Amino acid sequence: MDRWAVPYPLTLPAAAAVAFVLGLALGVPAMRLRGLYLALVTLAIAIFLVPLLKRFEELTGGSMGLTLAKPAPPAWSGLAEDQWLYFLTLAVAVAAFLLAASLLRSRVGRALHALRDNETAAEVMGVRLSFYKTLAFAWSAMFAGAAGCVYTWVIGFVSPDSFTVNLSITLLAGLVVGGLGSLSGPVLGGLFVMFVPSISQDVNDAAPGVIFGLLIIAVMYVAPTGLAGLAGRLIKKIPRKE
């Protein structure tokens, strides 16, 4: 968009494809590791990538970043710019949600569920661990690439400092609070990380971090499987008519 004035709808599949390839390239060596070592590698990537991208100022804008024009709403829509951006973001989020749901219902999704539950049993049943783990790494990067593209549309600015380690930690906290292993978990986690700090800000300027941390601890104590798991348990307790 900055260099070649590419129409913004074309940047979404391009960002998703490039992120998928990069995720695949990083996933191949990373999947040789497990557990804590894999977590440390992914954290190391997040740490060194920001200062590395700053060195390519001609491409990334360095610390100053790149300022881009936001997508203008078409005349037929009758929407203001912020309304148009909202519906664009919502449409991409719904499409990503449906794609993930379809993926999990497929043969690949069943293999990923088996890996999550018991890697040894999955391998005995013929699931190729390294293959599906690498694909999961690439798919997660693909979704992140699409989200980064939409973020650029909405903000109209992007720089290496837009994606720091703190953001990674916040997203991870939201995922854990929402609930791992469920499609509704990331939605609930996203609502949590977006609205809890803003509501806490009204209480006190120093409150967001404290309340955010205390609520995470409380959720982990009350609902170890996250808010999605808690909601599922509450629904099961509702008496049903015979």
Side-chain angles (χ1 to χ4, degrees):
M1 291 175 68
D2 179 62
R3 299 297 175 86
W4 302 302
V6 176
Y8 68 87
L10 298 180
T11 61
L12 182 63
V18 171
F20 179 88
V21 173
L22 291 176
L24 195 65
L26 291 172
V28 171
M31 284 305 105
R32 297 180 179 274
L33 306 172
R34 291 188 178 185
L36 179 61
Y37 298 101
L38 177 59
L40 289 175
V41 167
T42 55
L43 179 62
I45 293 173
I47 292 174
F48 83 75
L49 199 57
V50 172
L52 177 64
L53 291 176
K54 286 183 179 180
R55 293 184 175 274
F56 298 94
E57 293 188 12
E58 294 184 359
L59 180 64
T60 66
S63 300
M64 301 300 295
L66 301 173
T67 301
L68 304 169
K70 297 181 180 180
W76 54 262
S77 67
L79 298 174
E81 184 183 78
D82 57 343
Q83 295 172 323
W84 176 246
L85 290 172
Y86 170 79
F87 285 114
L88 274 179
T89 304
L90 182 63
V92 174
V94 170
F97 189 91
L98 294 176
L99 177 60
S102 176
L103 179 65
L104 291 177
R105 286 195 299 266
S106 67
R107 180 181 178 182
V108 174
R110 292 192 293 271
L112 293 176
H113 280 300
L115 283 175
R116 180 195 64 189
D117 295 336
N118 192 311
E119 289 189 7
T120 303
E123 190 171 20
V124 171
M125 296 298 294
V127 176
R128 291 182 292 170
L129 300 185
S130 59
F131 174 76
Y132 285 105
K133 280 187 174 183
T134 304
L135 276 184
F137 211 99
W139 281 325
S140 67
M142 179 188 71
F143 284 113
C149 180
V150 176
Y151 170 89
T152 306
W153 293 352
V154 174
I155 302 299
F157 172 81
V158 64
S159 76
D161 289 322
S162 300
F163 309 99
T164 61
V165 176
N166 288 337
L167 176 61
S168 299
I169 295 173
T170 301
L171 295 176
L172 178 60
L175 180 60
V176 172
V177 168
L180 297 169
S182 69
L183 284 175
S184 58
V187 178
L188 296 173
L191 295 173
F192 181 87
V193 299
M194 286 301 299
F195 289 107
V196 168
S198 61
I199 295 174
S200 304
Q201 189 74 33
D202 297 333
V203 178
N204 188 284
D205 291 340
V210 176
I211 295 178
F212 187 76
L214 290 176
L215 283 177
I216 291 177
I217 296 173
V219 170
M220 292 298 95
Y221 181 78
V222 176
T225 56
L227 296 177
L230 177 62
R233 292 201 304 272
L234 293 177
I235 292 174
K236 290 180 180 179
K237 290 183 179 179
I238 297 175
R240 299 180 180 178
K241 295 182 180 181
E242 297 293 339

